[in-house]
Amino acid sequence: MAARRALHFVFKVGNRFQTAHFFRDVLGMKVLRHEEFEEGCKAACNGPYDGKWSKTMVGFGPEDDHFVAELTYNYGIGDYKLGNDFMGITLASTQAVSNARKLEWPLREVAEGVFETEAPGGYKFYLQDRNLPQSDPVVKVTLAVSDLQKSLNYWSNLLGMKIYEQDEEKQTALLGYADNQCKLELHGIKGAVDHAAAFGRIAFSCPQKELPHLEDLMKREKQTILTPLVSLDTPGKATVQVVILADPDGHEICFVGDEAFRELSKMDPKGSKLLDDAMAADKSDEWFATRNKPKASG
C-alpha cells in the first residue's frame, strides 16, 4: 500500500475571514489553490448543500508531499454544530507557536511544549513547540472511534494501513501508509461518535486502477459506500475519479485516483489572491446584517 498517500482533511467553515487569518497568519500555511462553485458537489464534498460554495486548499507546501486542509465554505451558512468525531490535528512548528503568541491567539499548554488552540468554528489543533526533520510539520489527525478493535480491523485489514503504535490503556492507535506521511490516530471513546453538522472528511490517494477494486472489496465486506466510483470535474482542470466510504463510526473517507489528482492539486500562484477577491466580493455578511438576521446554522 506504499502507493497510497494521505492528502487532506476537509473542514466546513462559516467565517472565511477569521479562518484564513488562522491558517495563514497563525499556523503559517499558504493558500495552495482556491475554487468557486455555483452548485453543490455530486460527491457531497461541501456537505449536504446544493448552493454556491467555495473550496480553499491550505498547507505548508504542495499536496504531493504535504498533508493539507480543505476549507469548505457554503455561502449563507454562518456556523456548524460540532460533534465529538474530530479530536484534532497535531503539527510541529515553533513558528506557529511563536505566531500565535505574537497575535495573541489563545493557547493552552496541555503537555510540556504542546499547546492546544482552536481554529474558528471550534476545530482543535495541537501545536508542538519543535520542528520536524521532514518538510511537512503536520504530524497526525485524531478521530474518535467507539470500538478501537473494530476500527483497527477496518483501517488496517481493509484499507491496508500499517499500525505504528497501539496503546490499550489509552485506547489509541497510530496508523499510516508510509513513515514520512501524516498519520491517522484513532482514539477510543465511551459511547457513540456524533458527527453533528460540522463533520469533516479525510482524503487519501491511490493508483486510479485500484479504485474499482477498493469499491468491490467494500461491497464484499458489506461496508458503507457513500458515493460509488464517480468522476468529478473542476472547470479548466483535471477530472478526478473518487470513491467515498464510511468507516464503522461513519467517518467519511475519500479515495481519489492519484495520477489525475496530482495534476489537479498543483499549486496555483494566484490562489491567495483568488481567495481574497472572493472574500471581498462576498456581501452575504452585510446582507444578513442589514436585515438584522443571523446566517443559517449548518
Side-chain angles (χ1 to χ4, degrees):
M1 300 296 178
R4 294 187 177 182
R5 294 187 297 131
L7 298 176
H8 58 256
F9 192 84
V10 182
F11 295 96
K12 294 193 196 77
V13 304
N15 187 313
R16 278 192 299 192
F17 289 97
Q18 291 176 3
T19 301
H21 173 56
F22 176 77
F23 282 92
R24 285 197 286 204
D25 304 328
V26 178
L27 298 186
M29 290 183 174
K30 305 178 188 78
V31 175
L32 306 174
R33 63 186 196 277
H34 175 82
E35 289 143 1
E36 295 277 328
F37 301 89
E38 291 302 317
E39 55 187 34
C41 170
K42 58 185 174 182
C45 305
N46 61 315
Y49 308 98
D50 291 329
K52 186 177 177 182
W53 65 288
S54 77
K55 175 188 357 183
T56 309
M57 309 303 293
V58 294
F60 291 103
E63 211 163 349
D64 275 1
D65 49 15
H66 291 75
F67 188 84
V68 310
E70 179 175 317
L71 310 176
T72 295
Y73 172 71
N74 288 293
Y75 284 79
I77 298 182
D79 61 79
Y80 298 88
K81 185 174 183 295
L82 283 173
N84 63 2
D85 52 347
F86 174 78
M87 298 184 77
I89 283 183
T90 300
L91 53 95
S93 170
T94 297
Q95 187 62 55
V97 174
S98 170
N99 292 346
R101 285 180 173 144
K102 206 175 296 178
L103 295 165
E104 299 183 348
W105 196 272
L107 288 177
R108 185 170 71 90
E109 193 162 16
V110 291
E112 190 177 348
V114 181
F115 299 88
E116 180 185 282
T117 190
E118 283 186 8
Y123 303 110
K124 286 197 170 15
F125 280 74
Y126 294 89
L127 312 183
Q128 298 176 350
D129 195 2
R130 67 188 180 103
N131 293 320
L132 295 175
Q134 73 236 38
S135 62
D136 188 10
V138 184
V139 178
K140 64 184 178 182
V141 178
T142 305
L143 300 179
V145 296
S146 59
D147 182 330
L148 186 58
Q149 284 311 126
K150 191 174 180 182
S151 295
L152 282 174
N153 176 61
Y154 182 89
W155 289 92
S156 181
N157 294 343
L158 297 185
L159 294 186
M161 280 190 143
K162 175 184 170 184
I163 300 172
Y164 281 85
E165 296 170 15
Q166 191 173 348
D167 188 323
E168 285 292 335
E169 196 178 334
K170 290 182 180 171
Q171 278 291 291
T172 59
L174 194 69
L175 303 94
Y177 282 120
D179 297 356
N180 63 347
Q181 290 182 19
C182 171
K183 303 299 185 294
L184 171 68
E185 182 178 56
L186 303 177
H187 192 147
I189 61 168
K190 290 185 170 68
V193 174
D194 174 17
H195 297 278
F199 66 90
R201 176 183 285 178
I202 192 164
F204 302 90
S205 73
C206 67
Q208 187 168 308
K209 64 183 182 189
E210 285 184 18
L211 290 172
H213 303 301
L214 181 61
E215 185 179 39
D216 289 344
L217 172 66
M218 292 301 160
K219 284 177 183 168
R220 285 199 308 276
E221 295 291 332
K222 297 184 169 46
Q223 298 294 333
T224 303
I225 300 170
L226 297 173
T227 304
L229 188 58
V230 64
S231 294
L232 299 181
D233 298 321
T234 299
K237 297 189 179 179
T239 295
V240 296
Q241 288 195 309
V242 304
V243 172
I244 315 289
L245 311 174
D247 81 347
D249 286 294
H251 289 291
E252 294 195 0
I253 310 149
C254 174
F255 273 91
V256 57
D258 189 75
E259 300 85 346
F261 188 78
R262 283 184 189 272
E263 184 63 33
L264 174 70
S265 64
K266 282 180 178 168
M267 280 181 70
D268 180 354
K270 302 192 296 293
S272 205
K273 184 179 185 305
L274 289 171
L275 170 61
D276 288 335
D277 290 350
M279 290 193 297
D282 179 4
K283 304 299 181 191
S284 60
D285 284 347
E286 294 167 28
W287 190 92
F288 282 97
T290 55
R291 287 158 179 79
N292 206 20
K293 287 182 176 181
K295 275 190 173 184
S297 287

